Amino acid sequence: MDDERSPDGHGGGDGVESAKSITDLAKRVDKTWEGGIILKNSLFPTKLLLTEGEREVVEQLLKDENDKPHLKITQRLRLDETKLEDVSKRINSSSSHAIFLALAAASGSVAVPDGTEVQSRPLKNLVSYLKQKEAAGVISLHNRETEQTGVLYAFPPCNFSMELLRRVATDLTDEGSKDDYLVVVVVRGG
């Protein structure tokens, strides 16, 4: 068996750490969740690819009170230095966390919640909105059965979100001009 290791000791080839772009990274990580992120009256079909952290977070926290994969943004977090440092601290000090690359899912793949005025829209609209507001979307998570809680942050492309992805994919080049992805952080515990 050939041991193709790059000089820095990481496995070569298809390892996450050697991903050079967001598209490249997306091919190297598994989809762990598909559902809708909701803001006001829009549902954005989204798939989450786990780049770091615990897959259990998905099963335990990423659903609404009806057990549906719908997550509603209820607050915004300004992308300023002190707020971002606070998020970093929470990631590092929480009992468990997960970091995801969020990409658009096919519009027909996520059902719109029954009995609501919600319309399905492309994820890039949400990305543009958050960029324009210079904010991350914040979702409070609560599993009623287990009483577990958590917070989800959805970051648009920015230096902070790039750094989160570079924790695993150190060679990632900055594609800040792109509007087709979010970086989602879930931190367990309120």
Side-chain angles (χ1 to χ4, degrees), residues 36-105:
I37 293 180
I38 298 173
L39 178 66
K40 298 178 182 154
N41 289 331
S42 300
L43 177 142
F44 303 95
T46 308
K47 55 186 178 187
L48 296 183
L49 314 173
L50 184 68
T51 61
E52 177 192 326
E54 295 192 20
R55 188 179 289 260
E56 285 68 51
V57 166
V58 175
E59 283 122 42
Q60 291 159 353
L61 290 172
L62 297 188
K63 46 191 171 211
D64 67 8
E65 62 279 0
N66 304 318
D67 242 14
K68 295 273 192 296
H70 297 140
L71 301 175
K72 196 173 202 146
I73 294 178
T74 50
Q75 293 164 289
R76 290 201 310 253
L77 175 85
R78 282 200 60 76
L79 297 176
D80 64 37
E81 217 34 59
T82 46
K83 298 267 198 313
L84 296 177
E85 278 171 20
D86 189 43
V87 174
S88 293
K89 282 184 190 141
R90 292 185 75 162
I91 293 171
N92 295 328
S93 64
S94 75
S95 57
S96 70
H97 73 276
I99 298 175
F100 303 91
L101 174 61
L103 300 172

Side-chain angles (χ1 to χ4, degrees), residues 18 26 37 51 84 103 105 111 140 142 149 167-168 173 177 180:
S18 51
I37 293 180
T51 61
L84 296 177
L103 300 172
S140 296
H142 179 213
T149 58
R167 288 164 65 121
V168 290
T173 50
S177 57
D180 55 359

